[in-house]
Amino acid sequence: MTRSFLLATGLLFSAALTPLAAYAEQPANVGDAIMAASAYHDSGDYQHDFDTVIAQARHWVFERAPKVHKPAIVLDIDETTLSNWDEIRADNFGYIANGPCDSLPKGPCGAIAWEKSGRAPAFASTLALINEAEKNHVAVFFITGRYEDEREATARNLHLAGIKHWDGLDLRPMTSHGYAAHYKAPARAAIEAKGYTIIASIGDQPSDLADGHAEKGFLLPNPFYRVP
């Protein structure tokens, strides 16, 4: 057995033990991300961070509202106004569009069935902001990525969650596809065209706030899913 053979064998053995990261950068491990997102929610840090952003929005809204004509706020619905945590947890952070949702807390839970069931609770801090806005003559508009065929179920869910009044509820047209911002920004522009000043746009996705038509945007935490 020659020295060169031993050397070559040693190099091959060493290479076999070299971590894959040495060859190519890997994406984040999905299993680790699921555990981290669950811990973030269950520790209370998610709710704390969520409430902090809503408090910042509240401070801005009620400082700014008396200074503008027809002040308004725009809110997203899912993970902004209503919480889908029961469905998210049951599906282990996956998205299952179709099928029933009748075994909670076990999954699978079809997202459309869940939304149409009207069981999503409101975030307490968002509900308080909406109620205070109404008392202070600040118009409240919802712009959601839910499709138009969920209008009745969405309105029912808002009522059941304690939200009794709003000035507009925009849902995505059935023919609309692609990026959410391509629908949401024009919807805000249409509110402005009615003479309102949108002093705050509040949502959990960057696409909720993209392309302007609001004086300020407030991005809520959401490591659970992404809507481009």
Side-chain angles (χ1 to χ4, degrees):
M1 187 177 294
T2 66
R3 181 180 176 185
S4 60
F5 176 81
L6 288 171
L7 179 60
T9 303
L11 288 173
L12 287 170
F13 182 72
S14 176
L17 296 181
T18 302
L20 182 60
Y23 297 103
E25 185 177 349
Q26 301 178 72
N29 183 277
V30 174
D32 290 343
I34 287 174
M35 289 188 289
S38 296
Y40 178 55
H41 179 276
D42 295 345
S43 68
D45 288 343
Y46 165 66
Q47 192 62 60
H48 173 270
D49 293 347
F50 184 102
D51 293 342
T52 296
V53 176
I54 292 293
Q56 293 169 350
R58 178 194 172 281
H59 178 78
W60 164 254
V61 166
F62 298 112
E63 177 185 282
R64 182 63 176 153
K67 303 173 184 178
V68 303
H69 177 66
K70 294 182 70 173
I73 59 174
V74 169
L75 299 111
D76 174 50
I77 288 184
D78 296 302
E79 275 50 73
T80 299
T81 303
L82 301 177
S83 171
N84 298 298
W85 179 249
D86 289 343
E87 175 244 329
I88 292 169
R89 177 173 54 191
D91 290 337
N92 202 30
F93 298 89
Y95 181 73
I96 302 173
N98 301 312
C101 181
D102 50 17
S103 300
L104 293 175
K106 295 180 179 180
C109 171
I112 295 173
W114 161 259
E115 290 171 1
K116 289 187 175 181
S117 74
R119 289 178 282 175
F123 289 95
S125 54
T126 306
L127 178 59
L129 172 63
I130 291 168
N131 289 338
E132 194 170 356
E134 183 180 0
K135 291 178 183 177
N136 286 273
H137 308 291
V138 176
V140 175
F141 291 89
F142 294 110
I143 301 177
T144 175
R146 295 184 181 194
Y147 279 92
E148 184 63 39
D149 64 349
E150 292 189 46
R151 175 175 293 277
E152 182 181 349
T154 300
R156 183 177 72 253
N157 197 156
L158 291 171
H159 276 292
L160 291 172
I163 301 164
K164 306 303 182 183
H165 170 80
W166 53 84
D167 296 272
L169 173 59
D170 284 288
L171 292 93
R172 193 166 187 164
M174 300 303 294
T175 56
S176 172
H177 302 286
Y179 294 112
H182 293 172
Y183 151 67
K184 291 196 169 190
R188 292 195 300 275
I191 294 170
E192 290 179 324
K194 296 176 181 177
Y196 290 97
T197 302
I198 301 174
I199 53 181
S201 180
I202 305 169
D204 66 294
Q205 302 288 327
S207 57
D208 293 329
L209 313 178
D211 299 333
H213 299 290
E215 289 190 340
K216 276 195 176 184
F218 294 88
L219 182 63
L220 295 160
N222 182 357
F224 312 130
Y225 61 83
R226 174 69 69 225
V227 179

